């Protein structure tokens, strides 16, 4: 009798949780954590513990729009990555909107703690490889990525921001060496490489080249000049390799504007594959 009751209880628990996890993994249904939510999609032919790219949406967007973006999601899924899209937090506390990273501005949420909780929840729910969870983002999602990489570089295995970096004032220093590939459009007018003032100069976007001074210092790179160059493909790439062991630093420029360019996901996947385990 006791065995029968126990079996029935276990079956009811499985029946109650499995559909929720399955729906959450389809991408359209949000997974909930203590301070927010995220969407996730898993590769069709996933390895036992697939790697994942957590990718942060831009201003005014949300995680559902991000998880539906074929330039990011479909290409990464095809390369065997799971894709995790957390929701930013709007001014009214609603999902989506923005991210709290601006220097000297009120913070709507502890974003580092939130993103780490999303990471841990996704690893536990879906059996992802905890050592290969990477963080990226577009526009202010790229800025949020850069601030996490600077303040808590060990939170994720590597960082792949697109079209978003530090804001002024730039950080004086970062907590330690990073592994970071920054991608930016040569003709970006929304987040220019040199940055720009907004709201009548109340806030100012940062300079990507100044950000790389911060990254080089964090990585202990010898000299200012890049040591490896590649202009053979759609991206103009420069890397700093004479740096701290285990670090990686690269800038990839493309001729377009403020967007995630075609081919970015494959380039990022190839770059991530070159990194040794942490």
């Amino acid at each position: 009798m006791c065995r029968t009751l126990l079996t029935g209880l276990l079956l009811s628990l499985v029946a109650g949780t499995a559909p929720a996890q399955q729906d959450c993994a389809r991408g359209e249904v949000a997974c909930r954590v203590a301070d927010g939510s995220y969407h996730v999609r898993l590769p069709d032919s996933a390895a036992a513990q697939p790697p994942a790219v957590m990718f942060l949406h831009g201003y005014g967007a949300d995680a559902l729009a991000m998880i539906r973006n074929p330039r990011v999601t479909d290409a990464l899924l095809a390369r065997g990555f799971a894709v995790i899209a957390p929701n930013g937090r709007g001014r009214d506390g609603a999902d989506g909107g923005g991210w709290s990273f601006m220097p000297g501005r009120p913070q709507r949420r502890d974003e580092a703690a939130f993103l780490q909780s999303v990471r841990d929840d996704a690893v536990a729910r879906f059996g992802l490889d905890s050592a290969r969870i990477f963080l990226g983002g577009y526009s202010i999602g790229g800025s949020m990525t850069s601030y996490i990489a600077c303040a808590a570089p060990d939170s994720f295995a590597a960082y792949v921001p697109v079209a978003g970096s530090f804001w002024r004032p730039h950080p004086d220093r970062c907590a330690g060496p990073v592994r970071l590939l920054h991608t930016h459009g040569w003709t970006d007018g929304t987040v220019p490489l040199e940055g720009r003032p907004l709201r009548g100069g109340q806030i100012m976007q940062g300079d990507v080249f100044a950000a790389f001074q911060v990254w080089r210092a964090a990585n202990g790179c010898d000299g200012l000049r890049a040591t490896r160059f590649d202009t053979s493909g759609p991206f103009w790439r420069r890397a700093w390799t004479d740096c701290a062991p285990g670090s990686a630093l690269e800038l990839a420029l493309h001729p377009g504007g403020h967007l995630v360019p075609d081919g970015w996901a494959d380039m990022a996947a190839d770059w991530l594959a070159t990194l040794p385990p942490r």
Side-chain angles (χ1 to χ4, degrees):
M1 176 67 72
C2 291
R3 181 177 297 176
T4 301
L5 288 173
L6 180 59
T7 301
L9 177 60
L10 290 173
L11 288 174
S12 67
L13 288 172
V14 171
T17 58
Q21 176 168 313
Q22 183 181 13
D23 288 342
C24 178
R26 289 174 182 164
E28 298 295 309
V29 177
C31 305
R32 306 297 309 189
V33 293
D35 207 17
S37 64
Y38 67 96
H39 292 258
V40 62
R41 287 182 61 189
L42 304 175
D44 291 335
S45 56
Q49 290 184 302
V53 174
M54 186 185 298
F55 203 81
L56 310 182
H57 61 75
Y59 179 75
D62 59 25
L64 188 56
M66 189 72 261
I67 207 72
R68 291 172 173 170
N69 186 328
R71 284 186 176 180
V72 175
T73 303
D74 291 358
L76 288 173
L77 290 172
R79 296 293 298 268
F81 289 86
V83 181
I84 305 166
N87 264 308
R89 176 154 291 178
R91 289 190 177 88
D92 57 358
D95 284 346
W99 303 95
S100 295
F101 61 82
M102 198 77 68
R105 308 282 291 190
Q107 304 297 298
R108 293 190 287 272
R109 177 173 63 186
D110 184 337
E111 301 288 21
F114 168 64
L115 294 176
Q116 289 164 7
S117 72
V118 170
R119 176 201 64 197
D120 294 344
D121 188 77
V123 167
R125 281 185 196 249
F126 306 110
L128 306 179
D129 184 346
S130 61
R132 293 190 295 160
I133 310 296
F134 309 102
L135 182 65
Y138 164 67
S139 193
I140 66 164
S143 293
M144 185 75 258
T145 299
S146 298
Y147 280 100
I148 296 293
C150 183
D154 291 335
S155 296
F156 295 88
Y159 298 86
V160 285
V162 180
S165 185
F166 296 134
W167 289 54
R168 290 179 171 89
H170 301 87
D172 292 328
R173 59 183 298 275
C174 293
V178 299
R179 305 201 291 184
L180 182 138
L181 167 64
H182 180 98
T183 304
H184 217 101
W186 188 255
T187 59
D188 192 331
T190 303
V191 183
L193 284 161
E194 302 81 6
R196 64 177 177 135
L198 296 173
R199 300 180 189 172
Q202 296 180 41
I203 55 176
M204 294 189 66
Q205 296 167 348
D207 186 309
V208 171
F209 300 109
F212 267 79
Q213 293 181 11
V214 178
W215 296 129
R216 288 194 299 270
N219 281 12
C221 298
D222 292 334
L224 303 178
R225 184 179 181 273
T227 49
R228 189 176 69 237
F229 303 87
D230 184 357
T231 58
S232 62
F235 296 93
W236 309 321
R237 301 171 65 173
R238 50 195 298 131
W240 288 261
T241 57
D242 293 337
C243 305
S247 66
L249 185 62
E250 187 162 338
L251 173 64
L253 299 173
H254 62 90
H258 193 64
L259 47 75
V260 179
D262 287 334
W264 171 82
D266 282 321
M267 177 187 67
D270 289 340
W271 184 78
L272 293 172
T274 67
L275 302 179
R278 300 200 80 159

